[in-house]
Amino acid sequence: MKLPARTFKPACTLALCVAGAAGLSAAWAQDAPVADFSAGPPSGRYVFASWTPKGLPELMRGDGAGEKVNIVGHLFLPAAGAPDKVPAVVLVHGSGGIYSAMLDFWPKQFNAAGIAVLSVDSFGPRGVQSTAEDQSQVPFAADTADAFAALRLLATHPRIDPTRIAIMGFSRGGINTWRTAVERIIASQKLPGGLRFAAHIPTYSGGCTGLFRLQVKPGVFSRSPMLWLHGDADDYTPMGPCQDYAERIGKAGTPVEFVRIEGARHKFDMDEQRRITVRGAQRSKDDCPVEMDIDSFASFDRNTGQRLQGDALREVLKNCSATGASVEGNRAARDTAAQAALGFLRRVFAR
């Protein structure tokens, strides 16, 4: 299957981002969080509790002892008349923050197929609009904590089937999407009643090279099916490393499908149809050989198997980073991706 890919663009100048982010975090602070969805609330915007682990080790302690934060989820339920229990998808954004397709295009596609949606905003409540040029503003582990908080919340809704909740993430959110399939991370979250995501859809995912990439061995990833959606013209998170990563995950025992979208650039699902250059966007080079062992958190060169630490690791990482990329919306690519995602979820949810 074929589509165009894109990358993202900070929505503001530095000064406006700072001012806007301060206003966002103040606005979120005024909203009372919901403890659960057991009362069966309708579609709408809801604030709920999460936390901000600084990294994977803290996240995997699973105690939620880090900084507490209330995040925002936009709930979209299918029209009345759907079955009593419907499947659902948690949508997680990338470095540009929540954007229009997560509040319009994707919910409409999924709702029309009888699938509920919870679109999560991890940045606004933390006073951040974009991390495109500074990923340290929000720890990546916080994205994963938010995803599991969203899963817990959705599973309490009387209209949602808790055994049929998938996750779909875009760019930075793609990292979050496949991280939530890692068995050790899942186990560390102590989810009630064996709760976990039923399927994972990394979309123009980041993290396929560099320190985020995990060593793939049998048992690292769960058996929940994965669908990877990626454009072959993506210069922000190039497709090749993600295709290689997906293939390795599949060979280790996870059911994996990979949809190559011809001509697509990064963020192909955004509304803006012109190509935008993001000169300051931080990215990893597609030939970066570093990967991490989830059991020891040690880094290795995946080409040689050599452990990397100290000066040797720093030397390799010096050549792994670059700046500058492009994003471009493409309606045909977006439609193709939606068809692929819907077909995949129909198969998964029918099991």
Side-chain angles (χ1 to χ4, degrees):
M1 299 180 117
K2 308 180 174 181
L3 305 180
R6 322 296 181 243
T7 193
F8 60 130
K9 164 184 183 286
C12 50
T13 65
L14 179 59
L16 287 175
C17 274
V18 171
L24 282 173
S25 93
W28 301 151
Q30 297 171 9
D31 293 317
V34 295
D36 57 52
F37 277 166
S38 59
S43 299
R45 174 184 171 280
Y46 297 93
V47 174
F48 59 102
S50 185
W51 64 299
T52 307
K54 299 298 189 289
L56 273 183
E58 185 177 351
L59 172 73
M60 292 173 63
R61 286 202 294 272
D63 54 12
E67 177 188 350
K68 302 296 188 291
V69 64
N70 291 327
I71 59 170
V72 173
H74 300 264
L75 178 65
F76 301 86
L77 294 170
D84 288 340
K85 292 280 191 180
V86 300
V89 177
V90 172
L91 298 181
V92 289
H93 60 71
S95 301
I98 197 164
Y99 60 107
S100 60
M102 291 177 62
L103 301 174
D104 183 58
F105 176 80
W106 290 110
K108 284 180 178 176
Q109 300 302 307
F110 290 127
N111 280 182
I115 300 171
V117 170
L118 184 66
S119 293
V120 177
D121 180 0
S122 291
F123 285 1
R126 290 183 171 94
V128 173
Q129 288 193 345
S130 171
T131 62
E133 298 184 12
D134 180 7
Q135 296 292 351
S136 69
Q137 293 179 87
V138 179
F140 283 80
D143 300 356
T144 310
D146 293 353
F148 283 119
L151 174 62
R152 285 189 184 92
L153 182 67
L154 260 187
T156 65
H157 199 294
R159 285 196 62 195
I160 304 295
D161 181 349
T163 68
R164 295 189 295 159
I165 300 175
I167 181 170
M168 181 178 191
F170 310 90
S171 191
R172 171 177 165 140
I175 301 173
N176 187 24
T177 299
W178 52 256
R179 272 187 170 181
T180 56
V182 175
E183 286 288 5
R184 283 203 61 204
I185 295 177
I186 297 168
S188 73
Q189 301 308 293
K190 302 177 179 64
L191 298 165
L195 182 66
R196 61 173 58 209
F197 285 109
H200 306 258
I201 309 178
T203 305
Y204 46 87
S205 179
C208 298
T209 62
L211 287 172
F212 293 104
R213 179 169 170 142
L214 299 179
Q215 281 190 327
V216 180
K217 299 174 284 190
V220 169
F221 288 90
S222 76
R223 298 274 178 161
S224 297
M226 286 187 179
L227 170 68
W228 294 67
L229 302 170
H230 218 112
D232 64 5
D234 196 322
D235 62 5
Y236 194 148
T237 58
M239 185 188 76
C242 285
Q243 190 164 19
D244 173 74
Y245 195 33
E247 288 174 358
R248 291 176 188 239
I249 294 170
K251 289 176 181 176
T254 300
V256 170
E257 299 176 35
F258 193 98
V259 174
R260 170 182 174 269
I261 303 170
E262 185 176 351
R265 294 182 177 276
H266 203 72
K267 207 158 186 178
F268 56 75
D269 60 323
M270 71 179 186
D271 292 333
E272 177 60 72
Q273 299 295 289
R274 64 190 175 90
R275 189 177 305 175
I276 299 168
T277 299
V278 189
R279 291 185 175 84
Q282 297 177 338
R283 60 182 175 86
S284 295
K285 293 182 179 178
D286 58 359
D287 59 353
C288 180
V290 180
E291 60 184 10
M292 186 183 73
D293 174 47
I294 191 62
D295 295 317
S296 65
F297 300 118
S299 297
F300 292 84
D301 184 320
R302 73 171 179 274
N303 296 326
T304 66
Q306 176 187 0
R307 180 169 180 175
L308 299 171
Q309 53 188 330
D311 291 341
L313 177 59
R314 284 189 286 273
E315 187 62 29
V316 171
L317 289 176
K318 271 199 308 188
N319 298 314
C320 280
S321 298
T323 57
S326 63
V327 298
E328 181 180 72
N330 182 302
R331 294 189 183 94
R334 184 168 72 174
D335 289 344
T336 303
Q339 291 167 14
L342 287 168
F344 170 73
L345 290 177
R346 287 189 193 102
R347 296 190 298 275
V348 171
F349 291 153
R351 294 173 184 172

